[in-house]
Amino acid sequence: MKALEGVKILDFTHVQSGPTCTQLLAWLGADVIKVERPGVGDATRNQLVDVDGADSLYFTMLNHNKRSLTLNSKHEAGKAVLERLIKECDVMVENFAPGALARMGFSWERIQALNPRMIMGSVKGFGPGPYQACKVYENVAQCTGGSASTTGFPDGPPLVTGAQIADSGSGLHLALGLVAALYQREKSGRGQQVLAPMQDCVLNLCRVKLRDQQRLQHGPLTEYSQFADGVDFGDATPRSGNDSGGGQPGRILKCKGWETDANAYTYFITQAAVWENVCDVIGKPEWKEDSDYATAKARLTRLNAIFETIEQWTMTKTKFEVMDICNAVNIPVGPILSMKELAEEPALRDTGTIVEVDHPERGKYLTVGCPIKMSDSPVGVERSPLLGEHTDEILTTVLGYSAEQVAAIKQSGAV
Ligand code: CAO
């Protein structure tokens, strides 16, 4: 048995944010019915195509374990099918542009009237406010949610990050809200609306930067490089390069081979509790007794010089040697792993986090499986559906249409 077995999800999502949410719910055991426009489908099926004639990796990697039903929700016969789906399902998830669902004739009020137990999840770019009508993509939300202004080096422009904190991040937030709403419905008997605005989700993930904004009023941010460099902090949380965002100073340092390998680097944290081990490992045992280095406070104004010295040592080792040597004495470090290295990592294959999937159009490809591991809810990753692959099956087994009715719906052009 799986955690969400028996939960039916009407998945009206597209691109990345919504599909991330419904893929997670599918992995947790829900029956996810993805509704797509006939002949077109989710736009990502045809974006960043690497194999001609096959669904793109963008689509396949976000839509595992789902069934696909094609349906024109602006067609009268399509609307009738959609009504049946709304009555039949527990959760509806959508991430259309603001107002699109209501323009189709399915406002929240209408959906509630059709099924008072329905839980409706939405991702939008913004919550209520001046920008609520805007269309939003990943990097727009990274910029409006505080991530870009706090990412990058102090003397460079704002940067977006490779982690899809806005799309996948909002999908994750939404999934949690939907599961909580399902739990609440067990007691209240009622559905509810669940909204995950991308700006808000990014800001939630940038929580420590709003912490720093307030700390600024009480003096400089001592763990930032700017403090050691004597640079003015200004009045807003500045960009802090690779400085640690926590109370333990850290930086990215070069390792052996950095001249030719773009990822021959390690993250190195000078955690106060193991400072003496750091001194021994890098060959500076005298720093243990030196008042300029012995306390965390004394080290704050010398962090740049300290990390330069540590780097002289890390440059003599590979990033994996640094990992082995430092972890043996409790010093937290992290090799900068490339996507190639991650794809080839046996431990991630063993746990099902990197999975090889077979697809009828494109053959074998790698994907990221469910990162949440539950001891009593196993996850098997199944390939994404072809466009409309399950239309007949859903119309007959989920909605109970007869063969004649299915034929008539098809004849109408609604599916
Ligand atoms: N049948 C008939 N019509 C359908 C349909 C179906 N099955 N599925 C979608 N449509 C229609 C919509 O109703 C809409 O029509 P109207 O413009 O007449 O209302 C139209 O298709 C386009 O939908 P859209 O506006 O959502 O799509 P877009 O490509 O123009 O915008 C996006 C995409 C992502 C910018 C927008 O959907 C959005 O802002 N979503 C919310 C935020 C979000 O999730 N962003 C993350 C995207 S991942 O990077």
Side-chain angles (χ1 to χ4, degrees):
M1 182 182 172
K2 292 186 183 176
L4 294 181
E5 212 161 289
V7 174
K8 283 200 198 77
I9 306 218
L10 168 49
D11 178 7
F12 230 151
T13 68
H14 63 153
V15 205
Q16 185 181 165
S17 61
T20 297
C21 169
T22 51
Q23 178 168 262
L24 277 168
L25 299 174
W27 281 336
L28 298 183
D31 178 10
V32 175
I33 299 167
K34 183 166 174 109
V35 179
E36 298 178 82
R37 215 179 330 195
V40 183
D42 187 325
T44 58
R45 284 187 187 266
N46 297 307
Q47 279 176 5
L48 310 176
V49 169
D50 58 328
V51 176
D52 280 344
D55 284 331
S56 72
L57 286 168
Y58 195 8
F59 177 83
T60 57
M61 291 178 73
L62 284 160
N63 289 286
H64 294 107
N65 298 60
K66 304 180 185 177
R67 297 196 277 174
S68 168
L69 161 82
T70 49
L71 182 78
N72 182 345
S73 56
K74 290 181 175 166
H75 186 292
E76 279 317 305
K79 285 184 199 287
V81 174
L82 190 54
E83 277 184 24
R84 295 264 291 251
L85 274 169
I86 290 171
K87 287 179 182 161
E88 190 60 37
C89 290
D90 301 279
V91 178
M92 178 169 177
V93 192
E94 63 90 25
N95 67 309
F96 291 124
L101 203 57
R103 282 195 290 278
M104 280 178 203
F106 291 92
S107 63
W108 168 231
E109 292 69 27
R110 171 107 197 282
I111 291 166
Q112 262 185 316
L114 289 168
N115 179 358
R117 285 173 61 80
M118 175 59 84
I119 292 163
M120 195 177 96
S122 302
V123 172
K124 295 287 168 256
F126 295 90
Y131 304 120
Q132 65 189 26
C134 298
K135 290 187 176 184
V136 168
Y137 283 104
E138 170 72 41
N139 288 344
V140 173
Q142 285 199 23
C143 293
T144 57
S147 177
S149 72
T150 54
T151 303
F153 285 92
D155 55 356
L159 283 185
V160 294
T161 162
Q164 305 287 281
I165 57 173
D167 278 345
S168 286
S170 57
L172 262 166
H173 281 84
L174 185 64
L176 176 62
L178 295 175
V179 171
L182 278 166
Y183 186 71
Q184 187 177 354
R185 195 183 70 175
E186 288 300 302
K187 291 175 254 176
S188 70
R190 288 191 311 275
Q192 62 182 300
Q193 250 185 318
V194 182
L195 173 66
M198 294 168 76
Q199 180 185 42
D200 306 43
C201 293
V202 170
L203 179 57
N204 183 37
L205 297 175
C206 292
R207 173 171 297 264
V208 298
K209 300 298 181 180
L210 184 59
R211 173 201 67 193
D212 292 349
Q213 179 64 39
Q214 296 169 86
R215 286 174 61 222
L216 262 182
Q217 291 160 18
H218 303 281
L221 306 171
T222 52
E223 75 282 15
Y224 282 51
S225 301
Q226 289 92 321
F227 179 64
D229 293 342
V231 173
D232 183 48
F233 275 85
D235 62 359
T237 307
R239 293 186 269 287
S240 54
N242 291 317
D243 298 348
S244 161
Q248 308 292 341
R251 300 281 170 84
I252 287 184
L253 306 178
K254 291 170 183 156
C255 292
K256 196 180 201 171
W258 66 273
E259 300 90 336
T260 51
D261 177 354
N263 294 305
Y265 289 81
T266 186
Y267 203 87
F268 197 106
I269 298 175
T270 56
Q271 190 196 2
V274 292
W275 172 246
E276 298 203 345
N277 297 354
V278 174
C279 297
D280 286 334
V281 160
I282 64 169
K284 285 281 181 190
E286 65 275 19
W287 277 1
K288 291 192 271 187
E289 308 297 333
D290 186 333
S291 60
D292 280 352
Y293 298 93
T295 65
K297 189 158 186 252
R299 290 194 290 275
L300 282 177
T301 51
R302 298 176 176 81
L303 285 178
N304 291 344
I306 288 171
F307 280 113
E308 273 165 29
T309 306
I310 298 174
E311 192 170 58
Q312 293 306 312
W313 176 76
T314 57
M315 282 164 69
T316 67
K317 311 281 177 224
T318 69
K319 61 189 177 185
F320 297 111
E321 287 167 345
V322 172
M323 180 80 170
D324 291 343
I325 294 167
C326 288
N327 274 291
V329 289
N330 277 331
I331 303 168
V333 293
I336 307 304
L337 296 182
S338 67
M339 275 300 146
K340 182 172 185 295
E341 288 164 333
L342 288 164
E344 292 165 357
E345 170 58 53
L348 292 174
R349 301 274 182 130
D350 291 347
T351 59
T353 293
I354 298 278
V355 189
E356 192 174 80
V357 183
D358 208 357
H359 188 275
E361 288 173 339
R362 60 178 308 115
K364 289 190 167 45
Y365 66 95
L366 284 188
T367 195
V368 184
C370 185
I372 306 160
K373 315 297 181 189
M374 291 169 70
S375 65
D376 206 16
S377 185
V379 176
V381 178
E382 289 161 27
R383 70 164 173 85
S384 58
L386 302 176
L387 181 60
E389 185 175 346
H390 305 98
T391 300
D392 284 34
E393 179 182 307
I394 290 162
L395 291 177
T396 52
T397 62
V398 179
L399 300 181
Y401 286 110
S402 66
E404 293 72 39
Q405 287 171 315
V406 172
I409 295 168
K410 283 185 166 170
Q411 181 70 27
S412 77
V415 298

